[in-house]
Amino acid sequence: TVPAAVLCPSLAQPILEQLPPGDPFAKALLLGIAFGNNIGGMTTPIASPQNVVAFDWLEKVGAGVTFGSWMAFAMPYCAVMLFIAWRVVLHLYPPALESIEIGKRADGTVPDKEPPLNQRQMITIALTVGTVLAWSFWTPLGLERYLGAMGLVGIVPVASFFCLGILPKEDFNTKINWSVLIL
């Protein structure tokens, strides 16, 4: 959830730039990112550190909780909580604009058609989907005996992104707030 909270404001920036000064929806959008990350942090055993600890203890006491059963329990609860948070935030900070044009370039033009996915994007999608599938089927496939701890699987896409040049090495040293991620 911490990496998502770090990345999401930059994804929201094009929307924030279109809002008039003082528009309360800017607060709604940024609070929505924070609340969404907190709520989303409950959905999987690896989404937050406290879940990892709980999942480990559930495994130690033989509770029989799998990645999938955790999600089956957490997803409906989180969906309801997300809906409630969304309604409360929008009620407290309603948008001043009726609509925002998504996809508008910085110069004000709108592209006719999205270009096809390039090789870097396809590698990113493949690594992300592969990581999620490995986490999802960790217990049923007995992947721990082949890959070690579940957390190590998360290192594979990060290392791959840097080694393949998808993320520049400068980002590793200067743009990643390691103290926040380690925390």
Side-chain angles (χ1 to χ4, degrees), residues 80-104:
V80 170
M81 292 302 298
L82 196 58
F83 178 77
I84 292 169
W86 173 58
R87 296 304 305 161
V88 168
V89 167
L90 278 181
H91 175 74
L92 294 174
Y93 305 105
L97 294 177
E98 287 188 30
S99 66
I100 294 174
E101 292 184 43
I102 304 297
K104 187 185 274 188

Side-chain angles (χ1 to χ4, degrees), residues 45-111:
I46 55 162
S48 63
Q50 61 270 23
N51 294 4
V52 173
V53 171
F55 191 71
D56 184 50
W57 274 101
L58 288 165
E59 190 174 293
K60 285 178 184 176
V61 300
V65 177
T66 65
F67 196 96
S69 65
W70 179 296
M71 287 183 64
F73 175 80
M75 288 300 241
Y77 172 76
C78 291
V80 170
M81 292 302 298
L82 196 58
F83 178 77
I84 292 169
W86 173 58
R87 296 304 305 161
V88 168
V89 167
L90 278 181
H91 175 74
L92 294 174
Y93 305 105
L97 294 177
E98 287 188 30
S99 66
I100 294 174
E101 292 184 43
I102 304 297
K104 187 185 274 188
R105 294 184 178 137
D107 63 4
T109 62
V110 178

Side-chain angles (χ1 to χ4, degrees), residues 72-149:
F73 175 80
M75 288 300 241
Y77 172 76
C78 291
V80 170
M81 292 302 298
L82 196 58
F83 178 77
I84 292 169
W86 173 58
R87 296 304 305 161
V88 168
V89 167
L90 278 181
H91 175 74
L92 294 174
Y93 305 105
L97 294 177
E98 287 188 30
S99 66
I100 294 174
E101 292 184 43
I102 304 297
K104 187 185 274 188
R105 294 184 178 137
D107 63 4
T109 62
V110 178
D112 294 332
K113 183 179 166 185
E114 289 293 322
L117 293 177
N118 63 36
Q119 184 179 14
R120 291 168 54 139
Q121 292 167 324
M122 290 176 18
I123 290 170
T124 301
I125 290 168
L127 284 168
T128 303
V129 169
T131 303
V132 170
L133 288 174
W135 283 331
S136 298
F137 296 104
W138 190 260
T139 302
L141 296 177
L143 295 177
E144 186 166 1
R145 71 176 164 226
Y146 303 111
L147 302 172

